[in-house]
Amino acid sequence: MLLIVICLLIAGCTTMTESDSNVKETPITYPTLFTMEADNFLYELEVNDGMFTGQEPVITASLTYIGDKEEIVITHATSPFYFDLQETTRGYTIDYFMDMPLVYTTLKKGEPLVERYRKSGGYSDEDAEDYQLFIQEFLDERYPTGNYVVHGYAQFTIEGAAQNTELGGHIGFTVE
């Protein structure tokens, strides 16, 4: 009788451990399209698919003025669009670098300003060797296998306004 109870306890503990490990391995999924409408603007962030094998994802952001005027002028850095990537399998952040001049862009009502993500990133000699190799592969070849989240946003100021406007959200994809 004691032997049966011990076997049941061991089997129960094993089942709990397997269940726990499966939960930890399941990646958090994000949509492939994010849309936000606020302050007379429509912001969209999109990746062309949620799963990639052998091809590069195409990530785009767009900003459309939907207010009452026929056009509006915004100011921003080199681009109003930012694409911060995180590879969640390894926990790596891929920096997005941009020059910071003051640029003026005229947005016509209903006509989207669209930009495609271009790979960016870097590392220092102080970073771990695994991270350096990851970034080298990312920049030189293709996206390393893993789960990616894009924290995208548009940041700009309407000409004559005192405060910045920021619209953004998250999308994700997997590279096999």
Side-chain angles (χ1 to χ4, degrees):
M1 190 75 159
L2 181 61
L3 184 59
I4 293 173
V5 172
I6 292 173
C7 288
L8 288 174
L9 285 174
I10 292 172
C13 290
T14 304
T15 303
M16 288 176 61
T17 304
E18 286 176 15
S19 174
D20 289 345
S21 69
N22 287 338
V23 170
K24 292 176 186 172
E25 292 176 5
T26 304
I28 297 171
T29 57
Y30 288 86
T32 57
L33 173 66
F34 172 83
T35 303
M36 177 183 194
E37 189 175 314
D39 300 327
N40 294 319
F41 293 93
L42 173 64
Y43 172 76
E44 294 178 300
L45 178 64
E46 183 174 18
V47 62
N48 62 320
D49 197 356
M51 182 75 66
F52 296 91
T53 305
Q55 77 270 21
E56 294 277 318
V58 176
I59 303 165
T60 56
S62 68
L63 181 66
T64 307
Y65 173 67
I66 55 174
D68 295 333
K69 300 177 182 176
E70 286 303 310
E71 62 183 35
I72 192 166
V73 176
I74 61 170
T75 60
H76 50 82
T78 298
S79 167
F81 302 110
Y82 293 82
F83 303 90
D84 296 331
L85 267 66
Q86 183 176 15
E87 196 283 333
T88 60
T89 306
R90 296 169 190 86
Y92 291 154
T93 298
I94 303 167
D95 294 323
Y96 189 72
F97 300 110
M98 185 183 320
D99 293 333
M100 298 301 217
L102 182 63
V103 176
Y104 292 80
T105 300
T106 301
L107 298 176
K108 296 185 185 289
K109 182 177 181 175
E111 293 181 18
L113 175 64
V114 180
E115 185 172 312
R116 183 175 171 173
Y117 170 73
R118 290 177 309 278
K119 285 183 178 180
S120 177
Y123 57 87
S124 74
D125 291 338
E126 296 174 9
D127 287 325
E129 185 177 342
D130 288 347
Y131 179 72
Q132 292 179 28
L133 293 172
F134 174 86
I135 293 295
Q136 286 173 358
E137 181 180 348
F138 174 78
L139 293 174
D140 296 339
E141 298 173 22
R142 65 178 210 92
Y143 286 72
T145 301
N147 298 302
Y148 293 82
V149 176
V150 181
H151 306 282
Y153 57 99
Q155 186 178 65
F156 57 93
T157 303
I158 299 169
E159 188 177 46
Q163 65 184 29
N164 276 345
T165 299
E166 186 172 305
L167 309 170
H170 311 292
I171 58 172
F173 58 92
T174 299
V175 176
E176 293 185 332

